[in-house]
Amino acid sequence: MEQAYVRDLARFAGSEVVIKGWLYNKRSSGKILFLEIRDGTGIVQCVAQKKVVGEESFKAADTLPTESSLVVEGKVRADERAPGGFEIDVSSIKVVHVSEEYPITPKEHGAKFLMDHRHLWLRSRKQSAILRVRHAVIKAIRDFFDGRGFICTDAPIFTPAACEGTTTLFKVEYFDQAAYLTQSGQLYAEAAAMALGKVYTFGPTFRAEKSKTRKHLTEFWMVEPEVAWAELEDVMKLAEDFISYIVAFALDRSKEDLKILERDTAKLENVKAPFPRVSYAEAVAQVAGTGTEMKWGEDFGAPQEEALASLYDKPIIVHRWPAAIKAFYMKRDPADPKVALCLDVIGPEGYGELIGGSQREDDLAELTKRIVAENLPMEAFKWYLDLRRFGSVPHGGFGLGLERTVSWICGTKHIRQTIPFPRMLNRLTP
RNA sequence: UCCCCGAUAGCUCAAUCGGCAGAGCGAGCGGCUGUUAACCGCUACGUUAGAGGUUCGAGACCUCUUCGGGGAGCCA
């Protein structure tokens, strides 16, 4: 008899199958027993009758604790009463392992309790759905860049110094010297772009900021494309095409999971390039127009970000920020040296910055000047400056936070549910 | 680092003015032939985060500590 996965049950309607899985929930009624079995692809209700499976088997199943592993055989039958549209008329039940008392019950739990049991919480319907969406988003990211001729050139995780010099880094022992966990693969991506033209890095990044918010993790995944011969306009175009592709892909592939998550997908259907583009100066005026306080030269706080997002129904590209509040490697606008040729993409519905990027400074003298001005260790950037010595070209790119994107697409309140095992301030286990 | 909030049964929470520490879920036992977080009956389950203080009496009030949640800053 063939093993069937719950996701594919429609194909097996009317035939005998084997389901291998875990007991998600059960309801019994004396002589009839409803077993909800999950197998990683979905949950199916299996109907066992005492007269069919026998007294002993019935009793064993009737007292089986949640999350026990079992193998059932039975016939697939379409039934409107069953969640998912199909159920199994059970002919035999084989218990593989009787679970101990399972800590996660069908009732509500607090965030700490669930995170302490993250290794088990992953089994629940919504958490599984989120991880499948995350997988789809990763696939979309790879497909998008592959389709456009980008080469994946991953960056090292151990780095000798800060990329941006601003945020706090995790320090680790690297034999007899200090090293830091990377906060961005960008500088390495720039080098690779000078070799291969269009590249991206995709991997974990680390920020030792003591953030305690719904938008932050200390370890998160970031994808960073970098393109030689690209100017700000090209980077903005790439960013909006990229986000549009990811959202369309997820809407197509993750329909069922988004339904499980009760995501209002109408808001995602809108997300198609082009996105509204506003300069920082325009954005400041628009934010001030909503009554939220904002002056030129200030960075956007959460209230300002939300005020701006509330004016649009798509992600917004805010470009040409004051150079003083942006990273040293961003190229100044020749038309207005007070601003940098950079962009942020602010997600709708309060999900914050999805993307930060820029055209890079390609002039050796300018870049050297900025490294000195910001007191960065020149020695550590020696190789980076070489990129401006040997055939420097205009280039640029951006970084997109995977978990923030998944959080937005899934509509989760907190980013911590969008990575299998989140690392946060106060959270290193499980 | 700063601001706000919280910690009571395995879990989620309640406990009025400071006066016998409770409910639902989960667990155990029993019942029920179509249940949908099934339902019904019974049973067991407490160092009220820790230390100190006020009081005839503290889960509640005060002080400190620990741990956690949300936000600010910073960012993706």
Side-chain angles (χ1 to χ4, degrees):
Chain A
M1 206 178 296
E2 198 177 349
Q3 181 186 355
Y5 284 99
V6 173
R7 167 164 296 178
D8 309 325
L9 278 183
R11 285 216 313 266
F12 293 89
S15 49
E16 293 273 331
V17 295
V18 179
I19 298 283
K20 300 181 177 179
W22 296 261
L23 185 61
Y24 194 72
N25 198 4
K26 69 170 193 291
R27 294 172 282 276
S28 81
S29 186
K31 290 172 184 168
I32 188 165
L33 176 61
F34 300 92
L35 302 167
E36 280 192 290
I37 298 178
R38 59 166 197 89
D39 72 347
T41 72
I43 297 173
V44 64
Q45 174 164 289
C46 303
V47 187
Q49 303 205 50
K50 196 185 260 182
K51 65 184 178 197
V52 177
V53 299
E55 187 96 23
E56 200 177 314
S57 193
F58 187 88
K59 175 129 201 227
D62 198 16
T63 57
L64 204 56
T66 302
E67 286 301 320
S68 295
S69 47
L70 71 173
V71 176
V72 304
E73 293 179 7
K75 192 186 249 180
V76 180
R77 176 171 46 76
D79 194 311
E80 278 185 6
R81 291 168 294 186
F86 291 89
E87 59 184 26
I88 311 267
D89 285 324
V90 175
S91 52
S92 86
I93 301 169
K94 189 182 158 211
V95 174
V96 175
H97 177 246
V98 177
S99 175
E100 291 179 24
E101 186 180 331
Y102 195 63
I104 300 175
T105 68
K107 283 281 177 180
E108 285 169 28
H109 297 283
K112 178 183 171 7
F113 177 84
L114 289 169
M115 268 307 164
D116 284 342
H117 295 84
R118 182 62 173 168
H119 51 295
L120 302 175
W121 189 27
L122 296 179
R123 303 180 184 196
S124 68
R125 203 190 303 254
K126 287 195 178 180
Q127 298 311 307
S128 300
I130 292 168
L131 293 185
R132 282 190 297 263
V133 174
R134 178 190 168 95
H135 170 78
V137 170
I138 290 169
K139 166 104 170 113
I141 287 169
R142 299 241 181 236
D143 285 359
F144 176 85
F145 288 124
D146 286 357
R148 293 184 175 221
F150 282 66
I151 305 298
C152 182
T153 56
D154 288 325
I157 287 168
F158 290 125
T159 59
C163 289
E164 306 185 12
T166 52
T167 48
T168 318
L169 300 170
F170 286 106
K171 192 173 179 179
V172 294
E173 268 178 45
Y174 193 79
F175 303 111
D176 54 352
Q177 56 177 309
Y180 303 87
L181 300 182
T182 185
Q183 61 174 178
S184 164
Q186 183 205 313
L187 305 190
Y188 299 96
E190 286 185 51
M194 297 306 117
L196 297 153
K198 292 189 283 189
V199 304
Y200 67 101
T201 69
F202 192 13
T205 51
F206 307 86
R207 304 280 164 93
E209 293 295 338
K210 295 197 170 175
S211 300
K212 284 172 73 172
T213 80
R214 290 177 287 179
K215 290 180 194 168
H216 292 86
L217 297 167
T218 55
E219 177 182 320
F220 65 97
W221 282 64
M222 186 155 70
V223 54
E224 296 175 281
E226 190 71 31
V227 183
W229 304 102
E231 301 191 353
L232 180 61
E233 177 63 28
D234 305 305
V235 177
M236 293 199 283
K237 182 84 175 61
L238 185 68
E240 66 188 7
D241 285 350
F242 182 46
I243 289 180
S244 305
Y245 183 90
I246 292 171
V247 171
F249 189 96
L251 284 173
D252 179 45
R253 298 287 184 95
S254 302
K255 217 172 276 160
E256 291 305 313
D257 290 318
L258 294 175
K259 206 178 287 169
I260 290 170
L261 296 167
E262 297 169 82
R263 177 65 160 120
D264 177 6
T265 50
K267 287 176 176 161
L268 295 173
E269 305 278 356
N270 260 338
V271 179
K272 288 176 186 144
F275 296 163
R277 292 183 191 184
V278 294
S279 70
Y280 169 85
E282 289 164 346
V284 168
Q286 288 178 10
V287 168
T290 65
T292 308
E293 208 164 310
M294 177 100 207
K295 289 199 204 96
W296 199 96
E298 290 172 353
D299 206 345
F300 276 50
Q304 285 78 22
E305 229 168 66
E306 260 168 62
L308 186 66
S310 70
L311 301 173
Y312 300 92
D313 57 359
K314 286 184 185 184
I316 309 144
I317 299 179
V318 181
H319 57 84
R320 293 183 171 79
W321 294 65
I325 56 171
K326 287 290 177 181
F328 75 95
Y329 52 73
M330 295 184 175
K331 189 175 178 66
R332 303 291 164 104
D333 188 351
D336 178 6
K338 287 200 307 298
V339 301
L341 293 172
C342 62
L343 74 147
D344 279 5
V345 179
I346 297 172
E349 302 172 67
Y351 284 93
E353 257 183 80
L354 299 173
I355 276 180
S358 70
Q359 184 174 335
R360 319 304 187 190
E361 182 52 72
D362 48 36
D363 182 79
L364 179 64
E366 267 299 310
L367 193 56
T368 308
K369 207 171 80 189
R370 294 246 195 86
I371 290 172
V372 171
E374 301 214 8
N375 263 322
L376 297 172
M378 187 64 74
E379 188 59 27
F381 291 100
K382 208 173 151 212
W383 67 265
Y384 182 64
L385 290 167
D386 270 358
L387 305 177
R388 280 74 180 166
R389 281 195 175 94
F390 303 101
S392 190
V393 301
H395 64 288
F398 59 78
L400 172 128
L402 174 66
E403 288 77 15
R404 278 197 190 168
T405 305
V406 174
S407 181
W408 165 49
I409 289 173
C410 290
T412 62
K413 200 172 152 199
H414 203 300
I415 195 172
R416 65 184 156 203
Q417 295 176 29
T418 62
I419 187 165
F421 295 96
R423 291 293 172 258
M424 300 176 285
L425 182 67
N426 304 328
R427 172 68 59 191
L428 189 58
T429 49

